[in-house]
Amino acid sequence: MKTKKIPLRMCIACRQGKPKKELLRVVAANGDLIVDETGKAAGRGAYICPTIECLDKAKKSKAFSRTLDTPMSDTAYNAMKRVILRRDIK
């Protein structure tokens, strides 16, 4: 029996390769960053570990600005933080 290939993606903050399902996808749409929980939203996406440490590191190093050409606003940061905290509860 053939084993199924697991797609790997790299976190833009810590630069670690992890399975796609473990990471949080963020899409740049209409000049703003949006969390894509389905993984199927249109647009260029970037992946980040679902931890507050990686989120803070990405904000401090302006990783989203470099990767998606879209600066991270405070509302986008808070939205990502809520999604990460909600994932921790589950």
Side-chain angles (χ1 to χ4, degrees):
M1 182 150 216
K2 223 176 185 182
T3 58
K4 190 172 182 178
K5 184 180 174 189
I6 299 172
L8 297 176
R9 298 292 182 264
M10 187 178 292
C11 172
I12 63 170
C14 66
R15 312 293 292 168
Q16 288 184 349
K18 294 185 179 182
K20 185 177 172 181
K21 297 240 183 215
E22 291 179 14
L23 299 173
L24 186 67
R25 184 172 187 249
V26 180
V27 177
N30 299 327
D32 199 18
L33 298 175
I34 300 169
V35 177
D36 177 20
E37 295 189 58
T38 63
K40 297 180 182 182
R44 183 166 178 84
Y47 292 87
I48 187 166
C49 296
T51 63
I52 301 296
E53 292 82 23
C54 277
L55 181 61
D56 289 339
K57 188 173 183 179
K59 183 176 182 177
K60 184 178 178 185
S61 67
K62 298 180 182 168
F64 286 107
S65 209
R66 273 195 317 275
T67 307
L68 301 175
D69 293 328
T70 306
M72 180 189 282
S73 65
D74 289 334
T75 56
Y77 174 79
N78 291 331
M80 286 183 229
K81 193 171 184 176
R82 278 194 301 273
V83 170
I84 290 171
L85 292 173
R86 189 173 48 210
R87 273 190 172 193
D88 285 343
I89 292 170
K90 290 181 183 178

